[in-house]
Amino acid sequence: MPNVVLESFAAATPVIGSNLGSIRELIRDGESGFLFEPRNDASMAQAMEKALAPGWAPGAGEFARQFMRNTLSQDLHMRRLLALFESVRAGRATAS
């Protein structure tokens, strides 16, 4: 996961990112930022114009911060990891 996206979300700042790999998995297009097509200047410019729309960024930034807290927090990650370890130890490994 790109740290810059996670750090931006933690700071309640929406992100404009390329529609590739884990970036597209993190950014919810139109909610926590905007995605643009790789190597497409027009697509990137359109994403930037959307992000500069009056009043959009504060709500998107808060959405991004809440997404980070509710989905990607260290506490949640540790709870999921411990649950996985416990299930392996008990002989019932599950992927989640």
Side-chain angles (χ1 to χ4, degrees):
M1 275 187 224
N3 280 342
V4 70
V5 174
L6 301 177
E7 291 169 0
S8 181
F9 283 179
T13 305
V15 176
I16 298 171
S18 184
N19 193 9
L20 289 172
S22 61
I23 294 173
R24 81 170 138 228
E25 294 173 13
L26 291 171
I27 299 172
R28 294 194 179 177
D29 196 43
E31 294 179 332
S32 61
F34 290 103
L35 294 169
F36 63 89
E37 293 307 313
R39 298 183 182 146
N40 184 327
D41 295 343
S43 179
M44 184 177 184
Q46 186 178 29
M48 293 171 75
E49 287 175 6
K50 289 178 185 177
L52 293 172
W56 178 81
E62 189 53 38
F63 181 90
R65 183 190 313 240
Q66 291 303 320
F67 174 77
M68 177 79 176
R69 284 184 182 159
N70 297 334
T71 309
L72 304 170
S73 72
Q74 182 179 8
D75 181 58
L76 182 59
H77 175 71
M78 292 304 295
R79 284 188 275 141
R80 287 178 179 161
L81 192 56
L82 287 172
L84 176 62
F85 289 156
E86 288 297 323
S87 69
V88 169
R89 189 173 75 172
R92 57 184 199 296
T94 58
S96 57

